[in-house]
């Protein structure tokens, strides 16, 4: 949470982005891209995994820099300048995120009874079955009693009369 070059920042449109320039190469790309090479010269950091932890002065500078552009502009900047900057989604925006749409398709109320996500687990050369709605209470009772226990219709009817099954 004390990281500066790996941190959430508020953008011009009051959204958030995650800035992930902990590697020196990305930090340099960012500084050059915003026209502020002096930031890199002053705080070059180490080659890998340097979050500039606790650097309050740099944090204030970056806070102000990120307020100069919208979240979409920062995402485009990241692509253009090879700087890792990602969107921070909310429950209201996540479904519209392009990467999210590709990786985590929504399952609808009609398919499974409630909006939910398909499992994110992936297997090599294996497609997982598409989920369906859970059965209603008693939906498969007759089938289970006959195929698993070998009961006939009369025996199942007697169980129902006795209140043992519904």
């Amino acid at each position: 949470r004390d990281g500066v070059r790996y941190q959430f920042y508020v953008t011009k449109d009051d959204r958030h982005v995650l800035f992930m320039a902990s590697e020196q190469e990305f930090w340099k790309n960012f500084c050059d891209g915003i026209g502020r090479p002096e930031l890199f010269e002053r705080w070059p950091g180490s080659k890998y995994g340097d979050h500039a932890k606790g650097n309050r002065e740099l944090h204030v500078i970056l806070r102000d820099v990120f307020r100069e552009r919208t979240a979409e502009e920062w995402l485009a900047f990241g692509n253009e300048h090879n700087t890792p900057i990602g969107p921070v989604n909310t429950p209201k925006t996540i479904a519209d995120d392009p990467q999210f749409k590709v990786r985590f398709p929504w399952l609808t109320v009609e398919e499974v009874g409630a909006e939910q996500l398909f499992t994110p687990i992936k297997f090599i050369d294996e497609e997982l079955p598409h989920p369906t709605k859970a059965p209603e209470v008693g939906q498969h009772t007759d089938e289970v009693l006959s195929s698993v226990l070998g009961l006939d219709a009369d025996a199942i009817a007697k169980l129902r009369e006795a209140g043992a099954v519904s």
Side-chain angles (χ1 to χ4, degrees):
R1 80 178 177 174
D2 293 328
V4 175
R5 289 194 293 256
Y6 198 107
Q7 186 59 262
F8 297 99
Y9 287 98
V10 179
T11 60
K12 184 178 186 176
D13 53 349
D14 286 321
R15 291 182 53 204
H16 291 80
V17 293
L18 176 58
F19 181 53
M20 302 169 278
S22 294
E23 279 66 35
Q24 197 174 53
E25 173 187 353
F26 296 137
W27 173 235
K28 182 168 185 358
N29 293 345
F30 177 80
C31 293
D32 291 344
I34 63 169
R36 302 279 306 268
E38 75 277 5
L39 295 177
F40 181 81
E41 291 165 11
R42 183 163 179 202
W43 297 294
S46 57
K47 187 169 182 168
Y48 299 109
D50 188 333
H51 305 312
K53 192 172 182 179
N55 186 334
R56 301 303 304 151
E57 184 179 356
L58 180 58
H59 185 261
V60 169
I61 292 168
L62 291 179
R63 179 200 65 198
D64 294 343
V65 166
F66 276 97
R67 277 292 203 176
E68 295 172 1
R69 301 179 194 208
T70 66
E72 291 304 316
E73 289 170 333
W74 281 117
L75 297 177
F77 173 94
N79 288 331
E80 182 180 339
H81 296 280
N82 191 26
T83 303
I85 300 173
V88 176
N89 287 303
T90 68
K92 292 180 180 180
T93 64
I94 190 71
D96 295 325
D97 183 278
Q99 183 178 18
F100 189 88
K101 283 181 178 180
V102 171
R103 295 200 44 159
F104 303 106
W106 283 106
L107 300 171
T108 65
V109 171
E110 293 75 32
E111 292 174 287
V112 292
E115 280 191 348
Q116 60 186 17
L117 295 174
F118 193 73
T119 179
I121 299 169
K122 307 288 183 209
F123 294 96
I124 296 171
D125 298 327
E126 186 73 32
E127 269 309 305
L128 294 174
H130 198 80
T132 58
K133 285 183 182 178
E136 299 290 326
V137 174
Q139 181 177 337
H140 298 117
T141 301
D142 290 359
E143 180 184 334
V144 170
L145 292 174
S146 62
S147 66
V148 175
L149 298 179
L151 300 179
D152 62 22
D154 288 338
I156 294 171
K158 287 180 183 173
L159 288 173
R160 276 208 169 75
E161 287 174 27
V165 297
S166 53

